[in-house]
Every structure is written in structure tokens, then in C-alpha cells.
Amino acid sequence: MKRALLVSGFLTAALSGCGITPLPGVVAVKASPASPSPSAAAFVPVYETPENKDLAAAENLLRENRLVQRWAEAANQGFVPPRNVSVTARQCDEINAFYNSEDPSITMCYEMADYLRKLFATPEKGVPKPDAKEADESALGAMSGIYFHELGHALIDLYDLPATGREEDAVDQLSALVLITTAEKQKDYSQIISTIETWGRISQEEAKLPLDQRDFADDHSLSRQRYYNMMCYLYGSNHNAFLPLVSEGELPVARAARCEEEYAKMSRAWTRLLEPHLRTDLPSPSPSTARPS
Ligand SMILES: [Zn+2]
């Protein structure tokens, strides 16, 4: 079974269906230092070379920042999976990212990185045009947000974790939790902010088109809802630091009033679900990732 990231509205057509046959040019990257032992299963970083030359910049961005290695290492610091799980950056011929449970693998499509680079390079009304480096950094942060969403699908599958709500919402919560706790440690909130901005920008594009019943029937929340959910978790994690989200009118007061409790509840739920599966043989067992340079 394949669990994908996205999305309602205008991207839906572009995101349906994706073959999982390995493409030529597969490069497995050496096991990360957090890999438990050469014989134990692990999250294994893999880069494939895209045939589409238009994706070269996206490929270079991920490779130069060692993003796939960092993602795999973050997972390996927390878990020894029951089977090897590849974390693969590759051409998918669609803008997407997904987890495939049959041959356990997390696929991060170069098309998604390419899409995000262009999304963040597009100037917003009343804001100076971002330079290419800023746009790339935002794209990297958003890609990490997407990766932890997919890692959530992987963990639910590998450890048969229970969830009573929609899985897509649950793994958005895990992504927010990892990004926020990492930000607190590193005093750098750029990844969670890029993730929130991504949902904000995608939902602005979607707002140009009418919603139809497929959008409401989808197992993903609407992009605008994902935008507010992520913002609510950030605000709920530290309402003093993020008060401007409410005082400047971005997060409605009625939702904000519940965010501290929402964040604490989902944090407690994920911690309780994952605790029995966390590695105990490393000094710092909690999953975290370094900010891409
Ligand atoms: Zn998903």
C-alpha cells in the first residue's frame, strides 16, 4: 500500500499514480554513522540520477546538502526498523512524495523539490523578491517537513501503530512535532516555518479554482486546513514566542485558544506510541535532524 503526501485541488491531477520501478542510475549512499550495525536493518539513503535534465538543479540541491543522508540518519537515530527502509530521492514524473509498504521505502521526488524551489522563488505581494539561495533554503526546509510526514507513514506501518483519526492528519502532526522539537534544540525554526508557508502558498493557488466533492472526500485535509493545523501546533508549542501569529491576525483567536492543549495532546500521543520502539543504545534516542546548511 502506498501512502502519499498530497494534496487536494489543483495538484491532484498531477499527483495521481506513480510507478515504483527503480530507475537506472541508482546510487546507494554509505550507511550513516547512526546505523546500528552492518547486519541490522536501517533507513538507507539512496540517490537516483534523473533522466530529465530539468531536474538536475533539484537533484544537486538535495545532494549538496546531503539531505537524504541527514533524513536517513535522523530516522536511524530514533529507530532500528524491522526491515531495511530505503529513503530514495528520484525522478517520479509527478510532484509527490510517498511511502510504499510493500518494499518499504520512502520516496522523495525530485519534482517535488523542483516545484518547491520555484514556489519559494515566486515573489509574494508586498514582499521583496527572495534571492535564489533563500528560495532553495526554504525548499529544503519544506522538503524536510514532507519527509517527516512520510516517515510517519513508515513508522505507523512498520510498528503497526494505532490511530483513530485520519492517518494523513496524524503524520502531519508527527512532522510538526519533529520539526518543532528540532527547532527548539537548534534555536532555528526555519524548517517548520517553510512547511507552514508551503501549505499557505499551495492553498492560495488552490483558492483560484473551485473545490469539488473529491477535495472534501480526500483522505488529506484541505491545504488551508493543513496550513492552520501546522501553525496551531507551532503556536501551541510556545504561545509567548509565537503570539504575533494571533495578534497580527494570521491564526484566528478561536483556534489559537485550543492550540496549547492540541499540541500537548498530540505530542503526548506520539511520544507514547513511539516510546516502545525507540532505540535505547544511543545517548540521544529522540529523532532529530540537522538543519540543511
Ligand atoms: Zn501522507
Side-chain angles (χ1 to χ4, degrees):
M1 186 179 164
K2 198 169 82 178
R3 300 300 303 226
L5 169 77
L6 285 170
V7 68
S8 57
F10 83 110
L11 281 175
T12 309
L15 299 180
S16 59
C18 176
I20 52 168
T21 315
L23 297 171
V26 177
V27 180
V29 181
K30 202 157 64 82
S32 64
S35 301
S37 80
S39 58
F43 292 84
V44 181
V46 178
Y47 290 95
E48 295 183 4
T49 303
E51 288 180 343
N52 180 353
K53 298 298 172 217
D54 293 342
L55 298 173
E59 180 200 7
N60 288 341
L61 185 64
L62 299 195
R63 283 186 188 267
E64 283 168 8
N65 288 278
R66 301 185 68 254
L67 205 56
V68 178
Q69 292 96 317
R70 288 167 186 263
W71 288 335
E73 191 169 337
N76 285 327
Q77 280 176 355
F79 306 94
V80 179
R83 293 187 283 165
N84 272 349
V85 180
S86 74
V87 179
T88 301
R90 71 167 170 87
Q91 177 178 335
C92 306
D93 298 327
E94 62 173 339
I95 301 166
N96 212 345
F98 45 85
Y99 170 68
N100 178 19
S101 61
E102 282 152 25
D103 169 23
S105 58
I106 294 171
T107 297
M108 303 294 291
C109 305
Y110 290 131
E111 288 87 345
M112 176 60 85
D114 185 60
Y115 168 78
L116 290 169
R117 289 183 73 226
K118 289 170 182 162
L119 186 74
F120 281 106
T122 307
E124 284 197 299
K125 247 189 199 165
V127 180
K129 188 179 187 313
D131 64 32
K133 193 167 179 294
E134 283 172 348
D136 281 353
E137 283 181 4
S138 296
L140 288 170
M143 284 295 283
S144 288
I146 293 165
Y147 168 70
F148 288 112
H149 171 107
E150 299 308 328
L151 180 63
H153 285 307
L155 296 173
I156 285 174
D157 174 55
L158 295 166
Y159 297 119
D160 195 22
L161 302 179
T164 60
R166 291 195 296 188
E167 181 168 325
E168 295 299 338
D169 291 336
V171 298
D172 271 355
Q173 292 176 345
L174 180 70
S175 172
L177 188 59
V178 173
L179 294 181
I180 291 167
T181 52
T182 303
E184 286 168 348
K185 278 186 209 138
Q186 300 181 347
K187 308 276 182 276
D188 178 358
Y189 284 83
S190 56
Q191 294 187 114
I192 179 70
I193 288 167
S194 296
T195 300
I196 294 169
E197 275 186 24
T198 299
W199 290 119
R201 285 172 178 242
I202 288 176
S203 66
Q204 280 171 9
E205 290 301 310
E206 287 176 353
K208 295 171 187 167
L209 299 169
L211 289 168
D212 69 27
Q213 59 183 349
R214 287 171 301 178
D215 298 312
F216 295 105
D218 199 273
D219 56 345
H220 299 85
S221 291
L222 299 171
S223 301
R224 201 70 187 163
Q225 291 177 300
R226 299 173 82 170
Y227 170 72
Y228 285 120
N229 286 343
M230 288 296 200
M231 196 187 298
C232 177
Y233 301 138
L234 179 61
Y235 174 73
S237 72
N238 186 340
H239 62 272
N240 289 322
F242 297 105
L243 190 61
L245 290 173
V246 184
S247 59
E248 290 172 15
E250 198 59 30
L251 182 62
V253 172
R255 177 69 186 269
R258 296 178 178 275
C259 291
E260 193 173 358
E261 190 185 348
E262 270 192 57
Y263 181 74
K265 265 191 178 173
M266 73 90 164
S267 171
R268 204 162 54 237
W270 268 109
T271 301
R272 199 175 291 177
L273 287 171
L274 292 178
E275 225 158 29
H277 309 288
L278 282 172
R279 283 178 74 169
T280 53
D281 59 332
L282 288 176
S284 176
S286 61
S288 68
T289 186
R291 178 176 178 260
S293 58

mmCIF file of all heavy atoms in Angstrom, residues 276-293:
data_model
loop_
_atom_site.group_PDB
_atom_site.id
_atom_site.type_symbol
_atom_site.label_atom_id
_atom_site.label_comp_id
_atom_site.label_asym_id
_atom_site.label_seq_id
_atom_site.Cartn_x
_atom_site.Cartn_y
_atom_site.Cartn_z
ATOM 1 N N PRO A 276 7.908 2.698 22.910
ATOM 2 C CA PRO A 276 8.338 1.285 22.973
ATOM 3 C C PRO A 276 9.285 0.887 21.833
ATOM 4 O O PRO A 276 9.942 -0.148 21.918
ATOM 5 C CB PRO A 276 7.018 0.502 22.853
ATOM 6 C CG PRO A 276 5.934 1.482 23.127
ATOM 7 C CD PRO A 276 6.460 2.824 22.742
ATOM 8 N N HIS A 277 9.333 1.685 20.788
ATOM 9 C CA HIS A 277 10.126 1.321 19.609
ATOM 10 C C HIS A 277 11.410 2.126 19.481
ATOM 11 O O HIS A 277 12.199 1.881 18.566
ATOM 12 C CB HIS A 277 9.268 1.506 18.349
ATOM 13 C CG HIS A 277 7.941 0.824 18.446
ATOM 14 N ND1 HIS A 277 7.821 -0.555 18.395
ATOM 15 C CD2 HIS A 277 6.692 1.308 18.654
ATOM 16 C CE1 HIS A 277 6.537 -0.879 18.542
ATOM 17 N NE2 HIS A 277 5.837 0.234 18.704
ATOM 18 N N LEU A 278 11.615 3.086 20.366
ATOM 19 C CA LEU A 278 12.808 3.929 20.257
ATOM 20 C C LEU A 278 14.066 3.150 20.617
ATOM 21 O O LEU A 278 14.048 2.275 21.493
ATOM 22 C CB LEU A 278 12.693 5.132 21.206
ATOM 23 C CG LEU A 278 11.797 6.281 20.747
ATOM 24 C CD1 LEU A 278 11.623 7.291 21.874
ATOM 25 C CD2 LEU A 278 12.369 6.974 19.505
ATOM 26 N N ARG A 279 15.133 3.472 19.952
ATOM 27 C CA ARG A 279 16.422 2.869 20.296
ATOM 28 C C ARG A 279 16.831 3.283 21.697
ATOM 29 O O ARG A 279 16.617 4.420 22.102
ATOM 30 C CB ARG A 279 17.492 3.348 19.315
ATOM 31 C CG ARG A 279 17.417 2.677 17.994
ATOM 32 C CD ARG A 279 18.465 3.220 17.065
ATOM 33 N NE ARG A 279 19.799 2.742 17.418
ATOM 34 C CZ ARG A 279 20.853 2.906 16.626
ATOM 35 N NH1 ARG A 279 20.734 3.533 15.465
ATOM 36 N NH2 ARG A 279 22.029 2.439 16.981
ATOM 37 N N THR A 280 17.430 2.357 22.393
ATOM 38 C CA THR A 280 17.909 2.674 23.739
ATOM 39 C C THR A 280 19.428 2.562 23.808
ATOM 40 O O THR A 280 20.019 2.743 24.866
ATOM 41 C CB THR A 280 17.297 1.707 24.775
ATOM 42 O OG1 THR A 280 17.558 0.371 24.323
ATOM 43 C CG2 THR A 280 15.806 1.913 24.925
ATOM 44 N N ASP A 281 20.061 2.242 22.664
ATOM 45 C CA ASP A 281 21.504 2.029 22.680
ATOM 46 C C ASP A 281 22.291 3.264 22.253
ATOM 47 O O ASP A 281 23.475 3.213 22.035
ATOM 48 C CB ASP A 281 21.874 0.855 21.758
ATOM 49 C CG ASP A 281 21.424 1.105 20.325
ATOM 50 O OD1 ASP A 281 20.437 1.844 20.128
ATOM 51 O OD2 ASP A 281 22.062 0.573 19.398
ATOM 52 N N LEU A 282 21.578 4.399 22.094
ATOM 53 C CA LEU A 282 22.268 5.636 21.727
ATOM 54 C C LEU A 282 22.027 6.661 22.825
ATOM 55 O O LEU A 282 20.980 6.645 23.469
ATOM 56 C CB LEU A 282 21.730 6.174 20.394
ATOM 57 C CG LEU A 282 22.112 5.415 19.128
ATOM 58 C CD1 LEU A 282 21.419 6.020 17.929
ATOM 59 C CD2 LEU A 282 23.614 5.413 18.920
ATOM 60 N N PRO A 283 22.967 7.581 23.032
ATOM 61 C CA PRO A 283 22.787 8.579 24.097
ATOM 62 C C PRO A 283 21.548 9.445 23.890
ATOM 63 O O PRO A 283 20.865 9.801 24.821
ATOM 64 C CB PRO A 283 24.049 9.437 24.009
ATOM 65 C CG PRO A 283 24.939 8.830 22.993
ATOM 66 C CD PRO A 283 24.234 7.696 22.328
ATOM 67 N N SER A 284 21.229 9.802 22.638
ATOM 68 C CA SER A 284 20.070 10.665 22.376
ATOM 69 C C SER A 284 19.125 9.944 21.439
ATOM 70 O O SER A 284 19.274 9.990 20.229
ATOM 71 C CB SER A 284 20.523 11.980 21.752
ATOM 72 O OG SER A 284 19.405 12.756 21.417
ATOM 73 N N PRO A 285 18.119 9.230 22.000
ATOM 74 C CA PRO A 285 17.290 8.381 21.155
ATOM 75 C C PRO A 285 16.214 9.115 20.377
ATOM 76 O O PRO A 285 15.604 8.544 19.504
ATOM 77 C CB PRO A 285 16.642 7.428 22.167
ATOM 78 C CG PRO A 285 16.568 8.217 23.429
ATOM 79 C CD PRO A 285 17.733 9.162 23.410
ATOM 80 N N SER A 286 15.944 10.384 20.691
ATOM 81 C CA SER A 286 14.815 11.030 20.020
ATOM 82 C C SER A 286 15.181 11.390 18.581
ATOM 83 O O SER A 286 16.308 11.778 18.316
ATOM 84 C CB SER A 286 14.392 12.280 20.775
ATOM 85 O OG SER A 286 15.464 13.182 20.792
ATOM 86 N N PRO A 287 14.217 11.245 17.668
ATOM 87 C CA PRO A 287 14.521 11.571 16.284
ATOM 88 C C PRO A 287 14.754 13.065 16.118
ATOM 89 O O PRO A 287 14.036 13.871 16.668
ATOM 90 C CB PRO A 287 13.261 11.129 15.530
ATOM 91 C CG PRO A 287 12.194 11.079 16.545
ATOM 92 C CD PRO A 287 12.848 10.833 17.871
ATOM 93 N N SER A 288 15.780 13.411 15.405
ATOM 94 C CA SER A 288 16.026 14.822 15.129
ATOM 95 C C SER A 288 16.787 14.912 13.825
ATOM 96 O O SER A 288 17.322 13.939 13.329
ATOM 97 C CB SER A 288 16.854 15.456 16.233
ATOM 98 O OG SER A 288 18.150 14.931 16.219
ATOM 99 N N THR A 289 16.825 16.087 13.270
ATOM 100 C CA THR A 289 17.606 16.252 12.043
ATOM 101 C C THR A 289 18.317 17.582 12.082
ATOM 102 O O THR A 289 17.841 18.534 12.665
ATOM 103 C CB THR A 289 16.711 16.175 10.799
ATOM 104 O OG1 THR A 289 17.547 16.196 9.644
ATOM 105 C CG2 THR A 289 15.731 17.325 10.723
ATOM 106 N N ALA A 290 19.464 17.607 11.490
ATOM 107 C CA ALA A 290 20.205 18.858 11.428
ATOM 108 C C ALA A 290 19.629 19.736 10.333
ATOM 109 O O ALA A 290 19.097 19.250 9.353
ATOM 110 C CB ALA A 290 21.661 18.573 11.147
ATOM 111 N N ARG A 291 19.721 21.017 10.544
ATOM 112 C CA ARG A 291 19.236 21.943 9.521
ATOM 113 C C ARG A 291 20.186 21.909 8.329
ATOM 114 O O ARG A 291 21.397 21.940 8.496
ATOM 115 C CB ARG A 291 19.201 23.353 10.108
ATOM 116 C CG ARG A 291 18.753 24.388 9.122
ATOM 117 C CD ARG A 291 18.646 25.734 9.798
ATOM 118 N NE ARG A 291 18.264 26.715 8.808
ATOM 119 C CZ ARG A 291 19.137 27.535 8.233
ATOM 120 N NH1 ARG A 291 20.404 27.467 8.536
ATOM 121 N NH2 ARG A 291 18.727 28.421 7.347
ATOM 122 N N PRO A 292 19.600 21.801 7.128
ATOM 123 C CA PRO A 292 20.473 21.836 5.964
ATOM 124 C C PRO A 292 21.269 23.139 5.951
ATOM 125 O O PRO A 292 20.735 24.184 6.287
ATOM 126 C CB PRO A 292 19.490 21.809 4.783
ATOM 127 C CG PRO A 292 18.198 21.380 5.342
ATOM 128 C CD PRO A 292 18.191 21.741 6.783
ATOM 129 N N SER A 293 22.528 23.046 5.580
ATOM 130 C CA SER A 293 23.351 24.259 5.541
ATOM 131 C C SER A 293 22.985 25.077 4.319
ATOM 132 O O SER A 293 22.421 24.578 3.373
ATOM 133 C CB SER A 293 24.815 23.900 5.492
ATOM 134 O OG SER A 293 25.054 23.101 4.361
#
